[in-house]
Amino acid sequence: MNDFIEILTAPFIFPFMQKAIIAAIVTGAVCAVLSCFLVLKGWSLMGDAISHAVLPGIILAFVAGIPLSIGAFISGIFCAFATGYLKDNSRIKEDTVMGIVFSGMFAVGLVLFAKIDTDQHLTHILFGNILGITDAEFSQTLWIAGITIAIILLKRKDFMLYCFDPNQAKVIGLPVKLLHYGLLSLLALTIVASLQAVGIILVIAMLISPGIIAFILCRSFGWMLVVAVIASVTSSVIGTVVSFYIDGATGPCIVITQAIYFVIALIYSKILLARKKAKSHQQALNAA
């Protein structure tokens, strides 16, 4: 038992691991909260689009000598607004527009990265490097995540109604356009906050998996938020600790842990459904 406790606590002796765990918890929490709204709205592909679209912004920010987070945010917002404009001014469906925009911007980013001599490692941008997070990046992650969570929780009911039924939200006088682009802006901010943890490619998993897990297990949105945060935070911590011991990439370890959570939640929901059907069948037999 003592050996098991030592295995769990050993990584926390190192300052870089303490910082990585805190960053993982914060990142997991903000991704989980936003994940519930994305699942409710059906915006899985939008998260994918913006996460890929930030790459050219990161490269151009490096060239301009400004913080990479600013370039990533501007690039993500441009992708979101471009998608909305093309959808509203053409006959192309939204999912098709998103596919074109995010793949095009991601390709531009790859071309820029290949042409510009930088000291940034592409693997860290694509897959994250939370174990090597700097003090500046750590502070940035905490601030962005804190602001994003505060805004989401403050306007939780408005966002929930907009995601569930935008027509009803419009009827009762809510600023639907503002909520739409506000949610997209928060999505871009969350992606920026999560880049150091899991990178561009895997951030979409952290934005979708917690919400899907909670959606399978819960019947109310309030509990959905709670379960999503618990699943995301614990998987982020477990993935970070596992990556420490196996000397593997942290982002993939976190995402694999969330995938395991999803399988367990799916099996559990199937078992509950089977039990309910068996109980209903038994009650019908007894009534007969």
Side-chain angles (χ1 to χ4, degrees):
M1 184 64 181
N2 291 333
D3 291 339
F4 178 71
I5 294 176
E6 186 177 347
I7 290 173
L8 291 179
T9 57
F12 299 93
I13 298 174
F14 303 99
F16 78 91
M17 277 299 295
Q18 296 172 6
K19 196 159 48 176
I21 291 294
I22 295 173
I25 291 172
V26 172
T27 301
V30 69
C31 284
V33 172
L34 190 58
S35 174
C36 294
F37 292 95
L38 294 183
V39 169
L40 189 64
K41 181 64 176 172
W43 268 3
S44 301
L45 188 57
M46 180 62 80
D48 194 16
I50 295 179
S51 65
H52 284 71
V54 301
L55 182 58
I58 291 174
I59 306 301
L60 293 176
F62 177 85
V63 174
I66 62 176
L68 303 186
S69 57
I70 295 177
F73 178 71
I74 293 174
S75 187
I77 288 296
F78 174 79
C79 171
F81 277 73
T83 300
Y85 177 82
L86 291 174
K87 173 181 171 290
D88 294 337
N89 293 274
S90 68
R91 295 187 296 112
I92 307 174
K93 292 184 178 180
E94 187 174 31
D95 57 345
T96 305
V97 171
M98 285 189 286
I100 294 171
V101 171
F102 93 69
S103 58
M105 292 189 68
F106 189 59
V108 169
L110 291 175
V111 171
L112 289 174
F113 189 88
K115 290 294 183 182
I116 296 173
D117 185 23
T118 74
D119 59 1
Q120 297 288 320
H121 199 288
L122 182 60
T123 303
H124 292 168
I125 295 175
L126 295 180
F127 301 107
N129 182 30
I130 198 170
L131 297 184
I133 190 171
T134 64
D135 290 338
E137 291 167 339
F138 180 70
S139 177
Q140 169 192 295
T141 299
L142 294 184
W143 274 106
I144 294 176
I147 292 171
T148 303
I149 290 178
I151 294 174
I152 292 175
L153 294 182
L154 185 65
K155 303 296 291 183
R156 177 174 65 91
K157 293 183 178 179
D158 291 350
F159 281 130
M160 183 177 66
L161 180 57
Y162 164 69
C163 292
F164 182 74
D165 190 349
N167 292 327
Q168 177 65 20
K170 189 174 183 178
V171 168
I172 66 172
L174 291 179
V176 175
K177 282 286 185 182
L178 182 61
L179 290 173
H180 175 83
Y181 288 107
L183 194 59
L184 288 176
S185 299
L186 292 175
L187 175 58
L189 277 175
T190 302
I191 289 170
V192 171
S194 307
L195 283 178
Q196 187 62 27
V198 293
I200 291 172
I201 293 178
L202 297 177
V203 69
I204 183 60
M206 290 194 68
L207 284 169
I208 299 302
S209 297
I212 290 294
I213 292 168
F215 182 78
I216 290 173
L217 298 175
C218 304
R219 291 293 176 267
S220 70
F221 191 74
W223 277 110
M224 187 176 170
L225 285 172
V226 173
V227 171
V229 170
I230 292 173
S232 186
V233 169
T234 56
S235 62
S236 296
V237 172
I238 292 171
T240 303
V241 173
V242 169
S243 71
F244 171 81
Y245 278 110
I246 68 173
D247 193 24
T250 309
C253 289
I254 293 174
V255 173
I256 289 172
T257 306
Q258 290 186 348
I260 294 172
Y261 276 21
F262 170 74
V263 172
I264 294 172
L266 187 61
I267 293 173
Y268 177 72
S269 67
K270 292 293 184 182
I271 292 173
L272 286 183
L273 183 60
R275 286 180 177 177
K276 287 182 180 179
K277 287 184 177 179
K279 186 177 180 180
S280 299
H281 181 66
Q282 185 64 40
Q283 288 176 346
L285 290 176
N286 293 337

